[in-house]
Amino acid sequence: MKIGLIGTGNMSRSLGILWAEQGHEVFWGSRDPNRAKSVAEFAGHNTQSGTNDEAAEFGEVIFYSVRGVMPSAILSSTESLSGKVILDCNNRDIPEGFAYGPLMAESLAEELAADIPNAHVIKAFNTMAQEVFELSPQPLKEHQVSAYVCGDHPAARQTAMTLASEIGFNPIDCGPLRSARLLESLGDFIRFMIGGMKLGPYATLSVNVLPSASERRLGGRQPSS
Ligand SMILES: NC(=O)c1ccc[n+]([C@@H]2O[C@H](COP(=O)([O-])OP(=O)(O)OC[C@H]3O[C@@H](n4cnc5c(N)ncnc54)[C@H](OP(=O)(O)O)[C@@H]3O)[C@@H](O)[C@H]2O)c1
């Protein structure tokens, strides 16, 4: 698969290297092509680099790691993103003292989708810290860390889940893009656990489905009054 990454920061560098190791064709784009070139040289695996426009043209899948700045402000035209899978890993700024407000009415991912309505925006990879990717794909796989994925296009969602699985995560299908409101809140929660509660960057949030109880000695679930 051809993967274009916009931005050369921590998440983009980490995921690009991991996908290149899995045999994907990877191209980093940057505001400064020299920065993208350094990342590609560091990564090896025949990875390529250039401008953000070139990365957008190159990828069938685009990894979008620019927080709060929309593609229409970065690319000379967003036409190059039409019909493509856009993976959005962004979370909002951490408020001072981890004093989070109420649930956002709209997610960053929905904002992104409104900016590029002809693309298939998927929320993914926003609930684990960069350090977790350093464990990928082994020994990460043994820990069954959930990678939550949502988006309105089922095939695009499947692509994201496959890409997550290849690098050692346990993909969890969270349905339509609207669920990004919850996933971004989860992104806030894990950062609160990591920084606010000082669990550190290897803290993760995974779904764990238990075996059902063999007997209902507590009376089982009754209809609520
Ligand atoms: N780091 C984590 O552990 C982590 C985990 C989960 C989710 N996230 C989320 O993922 C996103 C990226 O995080 P990160 O740690 O990778 O950040 P980062 O290291 O700062 O990388 C972001 C990249 O975006 C590009 N960029 C920044 N401002 C821009 C602008 N105004 N116009 C165009 N490009 C711009 C830059 O690339 P160029 O300089 O090459 O253009 C920059 O390196 C954030 O929303 C963050 O909340 C981060």
PDB file of all heavy atoms in Angstrom, residues 7-11 30-31 35 65-67 69 74 89-91 125-126 128-130 191, ligand 1:
ATOM      1  N   GLY A   7       3.449  15.853   7.656  1.00  0.00           N
ATOM      2  CA  GLY A   7       4.118  16.201   8.906  1.00  0.00           C
ATOM      3  C   GLY A   7       5.139  15.128   9.247  1.00  0.00           C
ATOM      4  O   GLY A   7       4.954  13.945   8.912  1.00  0.00           O
ATOM      5  N   THR A   8       6.217  15.561   9.878  1.00  0.00           N
ATOM      6  CA  THR A   8       7.319  14.625  10.159  1.00  0.00           C
ATOM      7  C   THR A   8       7.578  14.488  11.662  1.00  0.00           C
ATOM      8  O   THR A   8       8.682  14.143  12.075  1.00  0.00           O
ATOM      9  CB  THR A   8       8.611  15.126   9.489  1.00  0.00           C
ATOM     10  OG1 THR A   8       8.842  16.462   9.950  1.00  0.00           O
ATOM     11  CG2 THR A   8       8.506  15.099   7.992  1.00  0.00           C
ATOM     12  N   GLY A   9       6.548  14.788  12.472  1.00  0.00           N
ATOM     13  CA  GLY A   9       6.736  14.750  13.926  1.00  0.00           C
ATOM     14  C   GLY A   9       6.772  13.335  14.483  1.00  0.00           C
ATOM     15  O   GLY A   9       6.942  12.352  13.749  1.00  0.00           O
ATOM     16  N   ASN A  10       6.583  13.249  15.777  1.00  0.00           N
ATOM     17  CA  ASN A  10       6.739  11.973  16.502  1.00  0.00           C
ATOM     18  C   ASN A  10       5.841  10.858  15.974  1.00  0.00           C
ATOM     19  O   ASN A  10       6.289   9.740  15.738  1.00  0.00           O
ATOM     20  CB  ASN A  10       6.426  12.198  17.980  1.00  0.00           C
ATOM     21  CG  ASN A  10       7.502  13.015  18.636  1.00  0.00           C
ATOM     22  OD1 ASN A  10       8.666  12.620  18.653  1.00  0.00           O
ATOM     23  ND2 ASN A  10       7.142  14.183  19.146  1.00  0.00           N
ATOM     24  N   MET A  11       4.560  11.159  15.815  1.00  0.00           N
ATOM     25  CA  MET A  11       3.615  10.121  15.402  1.00  0.00           C
ATOM     26  C   MET A  11       3.858   9.710  13.952  1.00  0.00           C
ATOM     27  O   MET A  11       3.862   8.523  13.615  1.00  0.00           O
ATOM     28  CB  MET A  11       2.180  10.616  15.587  1.00  0.00           C
ATOM     29  CG  MET A  11       1.779  10.765  17.032  1.00  0.00           C
ATOM     30  SD  MET A  11       1.734   9.175  17.885  1.00  0.00           S
ATOM     31  CE  MET A  11       0.143   8.561  17.335  1.00  0.00           C
ATOM     32  N   SER A  30       6.560  17.392   4.272  1.00  0.00           N
ATOM     33  CA  SER A  30       6.810  18.361   5.331  1.00  0.00           C
ATOM     34  C   SER A  30       6.731  19.765   4.762  1.00  0.00           C
ATOM     35  O   SER A  30       6.861  19.967   3.554  1.00  0.00           O
ATOM     36  CB  SER A  30       8.212  18.124   5.913  1.00  0.00           C
ATOM     37  OG  SER A  30       8.552  19.142   6.824  1.00  0.00           O
ATOM     38  N   ARG A  31       6.565  20.744   5.671  1.00  0.00           N
ATOM     39  CA  ARG A  31       6.691  22.148   5.248  1.00  0.00           C
ATOM     40  C   ARG A  31       8.117  22.391   4.789  1.00  0.00           C
ATOM     41  O   ARG A  31       8.386  23.267   4.004  1.00  0.00           O
ATOM     42  CB  ARG A  31       6.369  23.072   6.429  1.00  0.00           C
ATOM     43  CG  ARG A  31       4.925  23.026   6.855  1.00  0.00           C
ATOM     44  CD  ARG A  31       4.725  23.741   8.161  1.00  0.00           C
ATOM     45  NE  ARG A  31       5.368  23.029   9.269  1.00  0.00           N
ATOM     46  CZ  ARG A  31       5.316  23.394  10.531  1.00  0.00           C
ATOM     47  NH1 ARG A  31       4.654  24.486  10.858  1.00  0.00           N
ATOM     48  NH2 ARG A  31       5.923  22.693  11.469  1.00  0.00           N
ATOM     49  N   ARG A  35      13.604  18.429   6.149  1.00  0.00           N
ATOM     50  CA  ARG A  35      13.253  17.706   7.381  1.00  0.00           C
ATOM     51  C   ARG A  35      12.693  16.329   7.008  1.00  0.00           C
ATOM     52  O   ARG A  35      13.042  15.317   7.609  1.00  0.00           O
ATOM     53  CB  ARG A  35      12.217  18.519   8.162  1.00  0.00           C
ATOM     54  CG  ARG A  35      12.103  18.137   9.576  1.00  0.00           C
ATOM     55  CD  ARG A  35      11.684  19.236  10.522  1.00  0.00           C
ATOM     56  NE  ARG A  35      10.544  20.016  10.095  1.00  0.00           N
ATOM     57  CZ  ARG A  35      10.534  21.335  10.024  1.00  0.00           C
ATOM     58  NH1 ARG A  35      11.622  22.031  10.336  1.00  0.00           N
ATOM     59  NH2 ARG A  35       9.464  21.998   9.643  1.00  0.00           N
ATOM     60  N   SER A  65      -1.165  14.161  10.777  1.00  0.00           N
ATOM     61  CA  SER A  65      -0.762  14.336  12.184  1.00  0.00           C
ATOM     62  C   SER A  65      -0.572  15.809  12.541  1.00  0.00           C
ATOM     63  O   SER A  65       0.174  16.133  13.453  1.00  0.00           O
ATOM     64  CB  SER A  65       0.537  13.568  12.442  1.00  0.00           C
ATOM     65  OG  SER A  65       1.572  14.107  11.638  1.00  0.00           O
ATOM     66  N   VAL A  66      -1.260  16.688  11.823  1.00  0.00           N
ATOM     67  CA  VAL A  66      -1.143  18.116  12.120  1.00  0.00           C
ATOM     68  C   VAL A  66      -2.354  18.524  12.952  1.00  0.00           C
ATOM     69  O   VAL A  66      -3.488  18.459  12.480  1.00  0.00           O
ATOM     70  CB  VAL A  66      -1.069  18.953  10.821  1.00  0.00           C
ATOM     71  CG1 VAL A  66      -0.802  20.415  11.163  1.00  0.00           C
ATOM     72  CG2 VAL A  66       0.011  18.407   9.892  1.00  0.00           C
ATOM     73  N   ARG A  67      -2.078  18.940  14.179  1.00  0.00           N
ATOM     74  CA  ARG A  67      -3.173  19.230  15.111  1.00  0.00           C
ATOM     75  C   ARG A  67      -3.848  20.565  14.797  1.00  0.00           C
ATOM     76  O   ARG A  67      -3.198  21.615  14.783  1.00  0.00           O
ATOM     77  CB  ARG A  67      -2.620  19.274  16.533  1.00  0.00           C
ATOM     78  CG  ARG A  67      -3.612  19.793  17.540  1.00  0.00           C
ATOM     79  CD  ARG A  67      -2.973  20.098  18.868  1.00  0.00           C
ATOM     80  NE  ARG A  67      -2.676  18.889  19.594  1.00  0.00           N
ATOM     81  CZ  ARG A  67      -1.761  18.833  20.562  1.00  0.00           C
ATOM     82  NH1 ARG A  67      -1.054  19.885  20.885  1.00  0.00           N
ATOM     83  NH2 ARG A  67      -1.548  17.698  21.185  1.00  0.00           N
ATOM     84  N   VAL A  69      -4.863  22.152  12.309  1.00  0.00           N
ATOM     85  CA  VAL A  69      -4.679  22.911  11.060  1.00  0.00           C
ATOM     86  C   VAL A  69      -5.211  22.016   9.941  1.00  0.00           C
ATOM     87  O   VAL A  69      -4.802  20.861   9.819  1.00  0.00           O
ATOM     88  CB  VAL A  69      -3.195  23.268  10.801  1.00  0.00           C
ATOM     89  CG1 VAL A  69      -3.074  24.159   9.574  1.00  0.00           C
ATOM     90  CG2 VAL A  69      -2.578  23.930  12.021  1.00  0.00           C
ATOM     91  N   ILE A  74      -2.957  23.799   4.298  1.00  0.00           N
ATOM     92  CA  ILE A  74      -1.595  23.273   4.159  1.00  0.00           C
ATOM     93  C   ILE A  74      -1.265  22.916   2.701  1.00  0.00           C
ATOM     94  O   ILE A  74      -0.152  23.119   2.237  1.00  0.00           O
ATOM     95  CB  ILE A  74      -1.437  22.021   5.055  1.00  0.00           C
ATOM     96  CG1 ILE A  74      -1.486  22.420   6.520  1.00  0.00           C
ATOM     97  CG2 ILE A  74      -0.149  21.275   4.737  1.00  0.00           C
ATOM     98  CD1 ILE A  74      -1.426  21.244   7.463  1.00  0.00           C
ATOM     99  N   CYS A  89      -4.901  11.119  13.743  1.00  0.00           N
ATOM    100  CA  CYS A  89      -4.496  10.681  15.092  1.00  0.00           C
ATOM    101  C   CYS A  89      -4.535  11.823  16.094  1.00  0.00           C
ATOM    102  O   CYS A  89      -4.024  11.687  17.208  1.00  0.00           O
ATOM    103  CB  CYS A  89      -3.070  10.114  15.043  1.00  0.00           C
ATOM    104  SG  CYS A  89      -1.837  11.405  14.733  1.00  0.00           S
ATOM    105  N   ASN A  90      -5.115  12.961  15.699  1.00  0.00           N
ATOM    106  CA  ASN A  90      -4.932  14.185  16.501  1.00  0.00           C
ATOM    107  C   ASN A  90      -5.809  14.258  17.747  1.00  0.00           C
ATOM    108  O   ASN A  90      -6.942  13.785  17.761  1.00  0.00           O
ATOM    109  CB  ASN A  90      -5.207  15.398  15.609  1.00  0.00           C
ATOM    110  CG  ASN A  90      -4.135  15.537  14.560  1.00  0.00           C
ATOM    111  OD1 ASN A  90      -2.999  15.876  14.870  1.00  0.00           O
ATOM    112  ND2 ASN A  90      -4.480  15.229  13.314  1.00  0.00           N
ATOM    113  N   ASN A  91      -5.244  14.854  18.763  1.00  0.00           N
ATOM    114  CA  ASN A  91      -5.973  15.213  19.980  1.00  0.00           C
ATOM    115  C   ASN A  91      -5.798  16.704  20.210  1.00  0.00           C
ATOM    116  O   ASN A  91      -4.832  17.308  19.742  1.00  0.00           O
ATOM    117  CB  ASN A  91      -5.410  14.449  21.189  1.00  0.00           C
ATOM    118  CG  ASN A  91      -5.802  12.977  21.157  1.00  0.00           C
ATOM    119  OD1 ASN A  91      -6.959  12.640  20.940  1.00  0.00           O
ATOM    120  ND2 ASN A  91      -4.836  12.097  21.359  1.00  0.00           N
ATOM    121  N   PHE A 125      -5.405   5.724  16.282  1.00  0.00           N
ATOM    122  CA  PHE A 125      -4.068   5.894  16.871  1.00  0.00           C
ATOM    123  C   PHE A 125      -3.949   7.138  17.762  1.00  0.00           C
ATOM    124  O   PHE A 125      -2.855   7.659  17.926  1.00  0.00           O
ATOM    125  CB  PHE A 125      -2.990   5.955  15.772  1.00  0.00           C
ATOM    126  CG  PHE A 125      -3.002   4.756  14.860  1.00  0.00           C
ATOM    127  CD1 PHE A 125      -3.343   4.894  13.521  1.00  0.00           C
ATOM    128  CD2 PHE A 125      -2.672   3.503  15.338  1.00  0.00           C
ATOM    129  CE1 PHE A 125      -3.370   3.792  12.680  1.00  0.00           C
ATOM    130  CE2 PHE A 125      -2.688   2.388  14.500  1.00  0.00           C
ATOM    131  CZ  PHE A 125      -3.035   2.535  13.173  1.00  0.00           C
ATOM    132  N   ASN A 126      -5.071   7.628  18.320  1.00  0.00           N
ATOM    133  CA  ASN A 126      -4.981   8.820  19.171  1.00  0.00           C
ATOM    134  C   ASN A 126      -5.029   8.457  20.653  1.00  0.00           C
ATOM    135  O   ASN A 126      -5.018   9.345  21.491  1.00  0.00           O
ATOM    136  CB  ASN A 126      -6.134   9.793  18.856  1.00  0.00           C
ATOM    137  CG  ASN A 126      -7.477   9.256  19.294  1.00  0.00           C
ATOM    138  OD1 ASN A 126      -7.810   8.115  18.995  1.00  0.00           O
ATOM    139  ND2 ASN A 126      -8.239  10.041  20.017  1.00  0.00           N
ATOM    140  N   MET A 128      -2.955   6.162  22.294  1.00  0.00           N
ATOM    141  CA  MET A 128      -1.726   5.586  22.854  1.00  0.00           C
ATOM    142  C   MET A 128      -0.574   6.544  22.566  1.00  0.00           C
ATOM    143  O   MET A 128      -0.566   7.241  21.557  1.00  0.00           O
ATOM    144  CB  MET A 128      -1.437   4.173  22.317  1.00  0.00           C
ATOM    145  CG  MET A 128      -1.283   4.062  20.830  1.00  0.00           C
ATOM    146  SD  MET A 128      -2.817   4.264  19.909  1.00  0.00           S
ATOM    147  CE  MET A 128      -3.526   2.652  19.919  1.00  0.00           C
ATOM    148  N   ALA A 129       0.400   6.578  23.487  1.00  0.00           N
ATOM    149  CA  ALA A 129       1.527   7.508  23.338  1.00  0.00           C
ATOM    150  C   ALA A 129       2.563   6.952  22.372  1.00  0.00           C
ATOM    151  O   ALA A 129       2.628   5.735  22.130  1.00  0.00           O
ATOM    152  CB  ALA A 129       2.169   7.745  24.705  1.00  0.00           C
ATOM    153  N   GLN A 130       3.385   7.842  21.862  1.00  0.00           N
ATOM    154  CA  GLN A 130       4.444   7.448  20.910  1.00  0.00           C
ATOM    155  C   GLN A 130       5.264   6.304  21.462  1.00  0.00           C
ATOM    156  O   GLN A 130       5.659   5.387  20.735  1.00  0.00           O
ATOM    157  CB  GLN A 130       5.334   8.664  20.599  1.00  0.00           C
ATOM    158  CG  GLN A 130       6.394   8.422  19.532  1.00  0.00           C
ATOM    159  CD  GLN A 130       7.685   7.783  20.057  1.00  0.00           C
ATOM    160  OE1 GLN A 130       7.975   7.835  21.248  1.00  0.00           O
ATOM    161  NE2 GLN A 130       8.450   7.193  19.161  1.00  0.00           N
ATOM    162  N   ARG A 191      -4.184  10.696  28.327  1.00  0.00           N
ATOM    163  CA  ARG A 191      -3.145  11.693  28.642  1.00  0.00           C
ATOM    164  C   ARG A 191      -3.247  12.141  30.101  1.00  0.00           C
ATOM    165  O   ARG A 191      -2.246  12.418  30.745  1.00  0.00           O
ATOM    166  CB  ARG A 191      -3.230  12.866  27.668  1.00  0.00           C
ATOM    167  CG  ARG A 191      -2.824  12.426  26.258  1.00  0.00           C
ATOM    168  CD  ARG A 191      -2.780  13.568  25.286  1.00  0.00           C
ATOM    169  NE  ARG A 191      -4.088  14.148  25.080  1.00  0.00           N
ATOM    170  CZ  ARG A 191      -4.289  15.316  24.483  1.00  0.00           C
ATOM    171  NH1 ARG A 191      -3.268  16.019  24.033  1.00  0.00           N
ATOM    172  NH2 ARG A 191      -5.501  15.777  24.312  1.00  0.00           N
TER     173      ARG A 191
HETATM  174  N1  LIG B   1       3.036  12.145  20.532  1.00  0.00           N
HETATM  175  C1  LIG B   1       2.133  11.297  21.024  1.00  0.00           C
HETATM  176  O1  LIG B   1       2.455  10.491  21.926  1.00  0.00           O
HETATM  177  C2  LIG B   1       0.735  11.279  20.492  1.00  0.00           C
HETATM  178  C3  LIG B   1      -0.073  10.166  20.730  1.00  0.00           C
HETATM  179  C4  LIG B   1      -1.372  10.125  20.207  1.00  0.00           C
HETATM  180  C5  LIG B   1      -1.841  11.207  19.481  1.00  0.00           C
HETATM  181  N2  LIG B   1      -1.039  12.293  19.285  1.00  0.00           N
HETATM  182  C6  LIG B   1      -1.587  13.417  18.510  1.00  0.00           C
HETATM  183  O2  LIG B   1      -0.988  13.349  17.229  1.00  0.00           O
HETATM  184  C7  LIG B   1      -0.760  14.667  16.715  1.00  0.00           C
HETATM  185  C8  LIG B   1       0.713  14.792  16.369  1.00  0.00           C
HETATM  186  O3  LIG B   1       1.469  14.602  17.536  1.00  0.00           O
HETATM  187  P1  LIG B   1       3.061  14.552  17.457  1.00  0.00           P
HETATM  188  O4  LIG B   1       3.537  14.246  18.817  1.00  0.00           O
HETATM  189  O5  LIG B   1       3.492  13.733  16.326  1.00  0.00           O
HETATM  190  O6  LIG B   1       3.357  16.106  17.159  1.00  0.00           O
HETATM  191  P2  LIG B   1       4.631  16.735  16.523  1.00  0.00           P
HETATM  192  O7  LIG B   1       5.825  15.918  16.838  1.00  0.00           O
HETATM  193  O8  LIG B   1       4.619  18.168  16.904  1.00  0.00           O
HETATM  194  O9  LIG B   1       4.344  16.604  14.945  1.00  0.00           O
HETATM  195  C9  LIG B   1       3.362  17.327  14.281  1.00  0.00           C
HETATM  196  C10 LIG B   1       3.898  17.673  12.895  1.00  0.00           C
HETATM  197  O10 LIG B   1       2.914  18.421  12.181  1.00  0.00           O
HETATM  198  C11 LIG B   1       3.521  19.353  11.334  1.00  0.00           C
HETATM  199  N3  LIG B   1       2.962  20.673  11.623  1.00  0.00           N
HETATM  200  C12 LIG B   1       2.869  21.280  12.837  1.00  0.00           C
HETATM  201  N4  LIG B   1       2.282  22.493  12.722  1.00  0.00           N
HETATM  202  C13 LIG B   1       1.988  22.647  11.402  1.00  0.00           C
HETATM  203  C14 LIG B   1       1.381  23.686  10.631  1.00  0.00           C
HETATM  204  N5  LIG B   1       0.969  24.827  11.207  1.00  0.00           N
HETATM  205  N6  LIG B   1       1.250  23.506   9.296  1.00  0.00           N
HETATM  206  C15 LIG B   1       1.683  22.365   8.711  1.00  0.00           C
HETATM  207  N7  LIG B   1       2.276  21.335   9.378  1.00  0.00           N
HETATM  208  C16 LIG B   1       2.419  21.495  10.700  1.00  0.00           C
HETATM  209  C17 LIG B   1       5.015  19.350  11.636  1.00  0.00           C
HETATM  210  O11 LIG B   1       5.693  18.659  10.582  1.00  0.00           O
HETATM  211  P3  LIG B   1       6.707  19.440   9.617  1.00  0.00           P
HETATM  212  O12 LIG B   1       7.488  20.356  10.502  1.00  0.00           O
HETATM  213  O13 LIG B   1       7.509  18.355   9.019  1.00  0.00           O
HETATM  214  O14 LIG B   1       5.876  20.174   8.604  1.00  0.00           O
HETATM  215  C18 LIG B   1       5.106  18.589  12.937  1.00  0.00           C
HETATM  216  O15 LIG B   1       6.290  17.860  13.046  1.00  0.00           O
HETATM  217  C19 LIG B   1      -1.242  15.644  17.798  1.00  0.00           C
HETATM  218  O16 LIG B   1      -2.537  16.070  17.502  1.00  0.00           O
HETATM  219  C20 LIG B   1      -1.240  14.787  19.067  1.00  0.00           C
HETATM  220  O17 LIG B   1      -2.199  15.218  19.991  1.00  0.00           O
HETATM  221  C21 LIG B   1       0.222  12.342  19.747  1.00  0.00           C
END
